[in-house]
Amino acid sequence: MAATPRKNKTARRILAAGAGLVTVGALVAAMPSAGAAGDRSGGGHGHGHDKGQGRLVDVQLLSFNDLHGNLEPPTGSSGRLTHLNEDGTTRTIEGVGGVEYLATHLRQARQGHPYSITAAAGDMIGASPLVSGLFHDEPTIEALNGLDLDVTSVGNHEFDEGARELARMQNGGCHPTEGCFEKGKRFRGADFPYLAANVTNEKSGKPLLDPYFVWERNGVRIGFIGVTLEGTADIVSAEGIKGLKFGDEVETINKYAKVLERKGVKSIVALLHEGGLPASGAYNYDCDSPGPGNGISGPIVDIAKNVSPQVDALVTGHTHQAYACTIPDPAGKPRTVTSAASFGRLYTDTTLTYDRRTKDIVRTAVASANHVVTRDVKPAGDMTKLIDRWKTLAAPIANRPVGHIAADIENPADAYEKPLGDLIADAQLEGMAPADRGGAQLALMNPGGIRAPLSHKASGAEGDGVVTYGEAYTVQPFTNMMTAVDLTGAQLVTTLQQQVSGPNQAAPKILQVSKGFTYTLDMTKTGADRVVVSSVRLNGEPIDPAKTYRVAMNEFLSGGGDGFTVLKEHKNKLVGASDLDMFTAYLAAHSSASAPLPVPAADRITVVK
């Protein structure tokens, strides 16, 4: 099915939000002639014929989240899903995802549905593979336009390059320093609105982006409120979001639900870049067993239980998990809460039954399920052409060999210590260990900065076991600068404790560690007690609380990112090369075609469960 072109793209403009704000001030849509700011007619995509003129109308909501610029099919564990069989066993589904296939699945799903909306819950861009990341994610925005995305919330990764660059993603224009990437072509920006109701100017309180969007077709009106997680400021570079405030998700959604109600919009969906952790990693696990929402935990549970009953459904993300749950709202009424994993491997199909008389969703009729983006369908030709066009531009850089591996080096989401994490930490230690480069004695790597596994199977013509620059970039796309800092032994222990306490207690962020640094993590305990202090050793010697150690880490961590506030107390910082440069240098120095790099043993952190 061919893509349906979107007509009459709404012009958008940037409004200054006050002197002192060094990022973009505010992004709003130009107001239509009969309506308020943020109140735009989506109009649908014209799929099928006009039907549903009776009282009840089934509106199809297709949604996904955390695409992260994965235009090409993701490889290794990033391209797998776990399926739960009826007998309780599981099987692995290999080879899922890829925007060529996502496009086909969405277009097929829309057939026969005249009332169809496609929405997303953030992190469409950022931490992207090279074919998109090298071009500051212009290819992904172009692909999302082709997918007929109607609306998305922002996620934390939309702020990776700062608010000004996010403004360019919305409004278009060539990159401020690198210019236009294709001769004679100017980046046109997103056809869909980015929503960020809880991201405001610290001084004026005005939203950075549109807080809501109203989709309308034949009198059926559904409002969308978009928010990112309140903790975004803790997990992105501070410089890019200077002058911005990230507000409480529940308070913001409830505020704008009232605004929409006053405008006569009673059917409301929240697009929320925050999520939960289902009890099973299987995409088809029933998280409503034994009761509504009983099979899911994490931040989304409290959020969902406190978001106003005016909101009829929550589309969520951030945790890269798959679920379609019904978590009770504050009135005790079940309400659908969904997430479609990550990287375009799934999409969610939700039926919202709209009552023309009440102008609201019949909540008892809401049905939702996640669907696998298989690769056994015909790839969408327009997406194939798009990918090939950008790959041709990237090829001279992407295809350069940088190393060799003996087998897959994985980055499993469910493992505290990851083989690829060990490899990266070792590369960072080696790069920062020389006295004139920092004198590091150990290295710490944040797990969220490792975006994909290294696959032994060739992705192109390079041959099995060859690691290309493009593949290395996909693993470490942020190109964070590396630092070496002074930390006391006591601060080092506190760092380990902050992995599993405070904001990281519910969802631990286990730092990947370099060779020679070992300790025990006792997950039968709670909070900071999970770290067995007496077990923390460097090269076999117990860590001395009073001694000073030189520690390598990227600038995100040394700035206190991911809740590691103690790391901001460091001294004597020395800045080195980027993490990606150190990674590729290590691969080149330690591997060859005849002696490929073996898979690290992942035996530095002993875990007691």
Side-chain angles (χ1 to χ4, degrees), residues 250 272 299-308 314 327-330 335 337:
V250 172
L272 169 62
I300 196 58
V301 177
D302 285 341
I303 290 173
K305 288 181 177 179
N306 287 283
V307 163
S308 168
L314 282 76
I327 300 174
D329 68 14
R335 173 171 54 194
V337 180

Side-chain angles (χ1 to χ4, degrees), residues 68-69 71 126-140 161 165 168-169 175 177-182 389-400 469-470 473-474 476-479 580:
H68 290 289
L71 303 183
S128 303
L130 185 136
V131 73
S132 184
L134 187 64
F135 306 106
H136 299 274
D137 278 317
E138 289 183 19
T140 296
E161 295 191 49
E165 180 64 1
R168 191 177 73 87
M169 292 293 99
H175 192 270
T177 59
E178 297 185 36
C180 296
F181 296 111
E182 296 180 288
R389 199 177 86 240
W390 289 104
K391 281 181 69 176
T392 299
L393 287 175
I397 297 173
N399 296 339
R400 176 170 58 88
Y469 182 84
Y473 183 100
T474 297
Q476 292 219 275
F478 298 108
T479 56
L580 179 59

Side-chain angles (χ1 to χ4, degrees), residues 487-544:
L487 291 176
T488 66
Q491 289 171 324
L492 198 50
V493 170
T494 299
T495 299
L496 298 181
Q497 292 172 330
Q498 288 184 343
Q499 300 176 117
V500 288
S501 62
N504 294 331
Q505 178 161 328
K509 289 187 173 69
I510 306 303
L511 297 168
Q512 305 301 286
V513 298
S514 56
K515 59 186 176 182
F517 189 70
T518 57
Y519 70 98
T520 297
L521 200 58
D522 187 348
M523 297 306 290
T524 66
K525 298 182 179 179
T526 59
D529 290 339
R530 290 168 167 172
V531 175
V532 180
V533 175
S534 61
S535 71
V536 185
R537 283 173 165 74
L538 179 61
N539 299 322
E541 295 293 324
I543 290 292
D544 183 344

Side-chain angles (χ1 to χ4, degrees), residues 38 144 213 304 312 345 372 563:
L144 292 171
F213 164 82
D312 298 295
R345 294 175 293 165
V372 179

Side-chain angles (χ1 to χ4, degrees), residues 326-392:
T326 54
I327 300 174
D329 68 14
K333 187 177 180 183
R335 173 171 54 194
T336 188
V337 180
T338 69
S339 174
S342 61
F343 306 153
R345 294 175 293 165
L346 294 173
Y347 72 91
T348 311
D349 192 334
T350 301
T351 300
L352 302 172
T353 300
Y354 182 91
D355 188 327
R356 287 185 179 275
R357 185 171 66 82
T358 65
K359 300 181 180 179
D360 206 349
I361 299 299
V362 181
R363 190 88 72 77
T364 55
V366 172
S368 189
N370 278 318
H371 299 272
V372 179
V373 177
T374 61
R375 300 178 196 165
D376 58 359
V377 297
K378 184 178 179 180
D382 57 330
M383 293 295 151
T384 303
K385 289 178 181 178
L386 182 153
I387 293 169
D388 288 347
R389 199 177 86 240
W390 289 104
K391 281 181 69 176
T392 299

Side-chain angles (χ1 to χ4, degrees), residues 110-133:
R110 291 174 187 140
Q111 292 179 8
H113 295 275
Y115 296 85
S116 182
I117 312 167
T118 304
D123 278 8
M124 295 295 97
I125 59 175
S128 303
L130 185 136
V131 73
S132 184

